[in-house]
Amino acid sequence: KNQVEQSPQSLIILEGKNCTLQCNYTVSPFSNLRWYKQDTGRGPVSLTIMTFSENTKSNGRYTATLDADTKQSSLHITASQLSDSASYICVVSANTGNQFYFGTGTSLTVIP
Amino acid sequence: DTEVTQTPKHLVMGMTNKKSLKCEQHMGHRAMYWYKQKAKKPPELMFVYSYEKLSINESVPSRFSPECPNSSLLNLHLHALQPEDSALYLCASSPPPGTSQGKNEQFFGPGTRLTVL
């Protein structure tokens, strides 16, 4: 069964600290994995996308890693800011057409 | 143009009203999607259109009626909704499989916040 699981479900960190979010998947055949940031009441905005051959991808203070062997991905946020408070969703695409599998998301709260 | 637009941003309607949500993209994408998202939950797939034809209907009640008039537009017609249908409705699009340098990508609009009274 194609599934995407994220952890932790929620996270509270102090401004300026780093954090790492996890995503495990069983989607097959794998096409790519995407991390989205979603502010409350807004549409998801793409942070990174990685295909099978990519191990790491950075976008400013966001760095995503992918281990295709263990089917795990992480999103590392460096020097967090209050504006990083949002839900972070991991979405895995299957290589069988328009099939996208969503994780349940991690709710991140950055406090001053 | 590299974005998906949705109108309106907010919609409040009664249970007897008829309204429509609109989604538009000009990226040449040939797959378009409607999602429903409740608070603190991931988006739930409702419909998928591929090349202007309905390809997936996730057992959505008939009070939601999708329409794809052309490759750039996607509508969601609403009629006789229930209060539990209140949610954020997201539209997304993706290029045809095999394009976009091998990456099967999905682009989301900002959503329509729907409240049913």
Side-chain angles (χ1 to χ4, degrees), chain A residues 81-93:
Chain A
Q81 300 177 358
L82 298 178
S83 58
D84 292 332
S85 296
S87 287
Y88 291 83
I89 305 174
C90 173
V91 181
V92 181
S93 170

Side-chain angles (χ1 to χ4, degrees), chain A residues 50-103:
Chain A
M50 288 181 291
T51 58
F52 186 88
S53 59
E54 296 173 303
N55 301 118
T56 184
K57 184 76 69 77
S58 291
N59 178 3
R61 295 180 296 102
Y62 301 101
T63 300
T65 64
L66 175 65
D67 185 333
D69 292 330
T70 62
K71 299 187 176 182
Q72 296 179 326
S73 176
S74 65
L75 180 69
H76 187 73
I77 304 175
T78 304
S80 60
Q81 300 177 358
L82 298 178
S83 58
D84 292 332
S85 296
S87 287
Y88 291 83
I89 305 174
C90 173
V91 181
V92 181
S93 170
N95 202 20
T96 53
N98 302 319
Q99 298 281 346
F100 299 89
Y101 298 90
F102 286 73

Side-chain angles (χ1 to χ4, degrees), chain A:
Chain A
K1 185 179 178 182
N2 291 316
Q3 286 185 313
V4 179
E5 295 182 350
Q6 291 186 242
S7 62
Q9 187 175 6
S10 61
L11 183 62
I12 301 174
I13 62 172
L14 290 172
E15 185 180 11
K17 297 295 186 182
N18 304 335
C19 67
T20 301
L21 314 180
Q22 300 290 344
C23 174
N24 298 336
Y25 63 92
T26 59
V27 177
S28 182
F30 174 85
S31 175
N32 62 63
L33 184 148
R34 198 158 196 165
W35 284 95
Y36 288 91
K37 177 186 177 187
Q38 185 176 24
D39 293 313
T40 302
R42 305 297 301 275
V45 174
S46 177
L47 295 175
T48 64
I49 182 169
M50 288 181 291
T51 58
F52 186 88
S53 59
E54 296 173 303
N55 301 118
T56 184
K57 184 76 69 77
S58 291
N59 178 3
R61 295 180 296 102
Y62 301 101
T63 300
T65 64
L66 175 65
D67 185 333
D69 292 330
T70 62
K71 299 187 176 182
Q72 296 179 326
S73 176
S74 65
L75 180 69
H76 187 73
I77 304 175
T78 304
S80 60
Q81 300 177 358
L82 298 178
S83 58
D84 292 332
S85 296
S87 287
Y88 291 83
I89 305 174
C90 173
V91 181
V92 181
S93 170
N95 202 20
T96 53
N98 302 319
Q99 298 281 346
F100 299 89
Y101 298 90
F102 286 73
T104 51
T106 292
S107 176
L108 175 66
T109 303
V110 181
I111 58 176

